[in-house]
C-alpha cells in the first residue's frame, strides 16, 4: 500500500474543500485488497483525516452474511457512516436486495448509505426498494445514486422520507440531480 501517496491524496482532497471522504469505495483498488490491507487503509485514513471532514467506509460485496459480519466487526474510530453497493454478479431480485440491505442495516452501528450503480454491479435497486428500505430502517440515511435514470430518481425524491439523502454518484449528472433535490456528490472523478 502506498501510504505516502494516500496521505497526499487525502490532504489534497480535504484542502480542496470536500465535506466528507469515502475510504475504499468501489472505484479504485478496494476489491483487490485483503481484509488486513482494508483495515490498514481505513485506520490510516482515519489517522490522517483527524476529524477534519466526515469519513465514510466503503464495505460491500455479494455475500450478504460476509458483508454484514464485516460491518458488525468494523470498529475503526473516526468513521461516520458505511457506504455499501448493491450485490454484484448474482443479479438478486428486489426482495433479495431488500434482504441484503436489511442484514447490513441490522448489523451496522453506523448510518448506512445505499449505493445503486447498475452499470458496475448488474444489479439495479428499484425506487420501490430504496423507498421501502428508507422507511423501514432509520439508520439507512441515503443513497449514492448512479443509475442515470431520472424517472427512478424522481420517484425516490417524491416518496422518500424527508431526511433521507439523495446523493449523486455520477459526476456528469450531479447538477441536474441537485436541481431535483440531491444534496451533493460522492465523486468518481475526484480522485483522478
Amino acid at each position: 500500500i502506498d501510504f505516502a501517496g494516500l496521505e497526499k491524496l487525502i490532504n489534497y482532497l480535504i484542502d480542496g474543500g470536500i465535506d466528507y471522504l469515502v475510504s475504499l469505495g468501489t472505484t479504485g483498488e478496494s476489491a483487490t485488497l485483503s481484509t488486513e490491507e482494508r483495515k490498514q487503509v481505513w485506520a490510516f485514513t482515519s489517522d490522517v483525516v483527524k476529524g477534519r471532514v466526515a469519513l465514510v467506509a466503503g464495505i460491500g460485496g455479494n455475500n450478504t452474511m460476509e458483508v454484514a459480519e464485516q460491518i458488525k466487526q468494523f470498529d475503526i474510530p473516526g468513521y461516520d457512516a458505511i457506504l455499501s453497493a448493491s450485490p454484484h454478479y448474482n443479479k438478486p431480485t428486489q426482495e433479495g436486495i431488500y434482504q441484503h440491505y436489511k442484514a447490513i442495516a441490522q448489523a451496522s452501528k453506523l448510518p448506512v448509505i445505499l449505493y445503486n450503480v447498475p452499470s458496475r454491479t448488474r444489479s439495479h435497486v428499484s425506487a420501490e426498494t430504496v423507498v421501502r428500505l428508507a422507511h423501514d430502517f432509520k439508520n439507512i440515511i441515503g443513497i449514492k445514486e448512479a443509475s442515470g435514470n431520472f424517472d427512478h430518481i424522481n420517484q425516490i425524491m417524491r416518496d422518500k422520507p424527508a431526511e433521507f439523502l439523495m446523493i449523486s454518484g455520477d459526476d456528469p449528472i450531479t447538477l441536474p440531480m441537485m436541481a431535483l433535490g440531491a444534496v451533493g456528490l460522492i465523486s468518481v472523478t475526484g480522485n483522478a
Side-chain angles (χ1 to χ4, degrees), residues 5-182:
L6 179 57
E7 182 173 9
K8 285 180 187 175
L9 179 60
I10 291 167
N11 287 320
Y12 173 79
L13 293 170
I14 292 172
D15 292 345
I18 63 169
D19 295 312
Y20 56 93
L21 181 71
V22 176
S23 180
L24 297 180
T26 57
T27 303
E29 298 175 356
S30 61
T32 65
L33 298 177
S34 69
T35 300
E36 185 55 37
E37 288 171 323
R38 284 193 298 274
K39 289 178 183 177
Q40 290 173 13
V41 169
W42 285 320
F44 181 82
T45 300
S46 180
D47 289 344
V48 172
V49 169
K50 293 182 177 118
R52 293 180 288 165
V53 296
L55 199 47
V56 178
I59 304 175
N62 61 355
N63 180 335
T64 300
M65 293 302 106
E66 182 178 293
V67 173
E69 187 59 30
Q70 287 175 15
I71 289 171
K72 187 176 184 180
Q73 298 299 322
F74 185 82
D75 63 353
I76 297 170
Y79 283 81
D80 301 287
I82 300 292
L83 173 68
S84 193
S86 62
H88 60 278
Y89 188 76
N90 296 352
K91 298 182 183 177
T93 64
Q94 290 304 306
E95 185 59 26
I97 292 170
Y98 178 88
Q99 293 299 325
H100 177 81
Y101 280 120
K102 176 182 177 181
I104 287 171
Q106 291 174 334
S108 185
K109 299 173 220 99
L110 295 171
V112 175
I113 302 168
L114 312 174
Y115 184 12
N116 186 35
V117 59
S119 65
R120 301 275 183 183
T121 63
R122 299 294 179 239
S123 166
H124 176 69
V125 186
S126 74
E128 294 83 6
T129 300
V130 171
V131 170
R132 181 179 168 205
L133 286 161
H135 283 285
D136 289 354
F137 301 97
K138 295 302 176 203
N139 66 331
I140 295 181
I141 62 165
I143 185 167
K144 178 182 176 183
E145 176 54 54
S147 70
N149 180 330
F150 280 88
D151 289 337
H152 168 84
I153 294 164
N154 278 321
Q155 185 177 348
I156 294 170
M157 292 301 296
R158 182 191 69 211
D159 299 338
K160 71 178 186 63
E163 66 281 358
F164 185 81
L165 305 172
M166 171 66 75
I167 305 164
S168 175
D170 191 3
D171 296 68
I173 63 169
T174 299
L175 187 58
M177 282 185 68
M178 290 182 76
L180 296 173

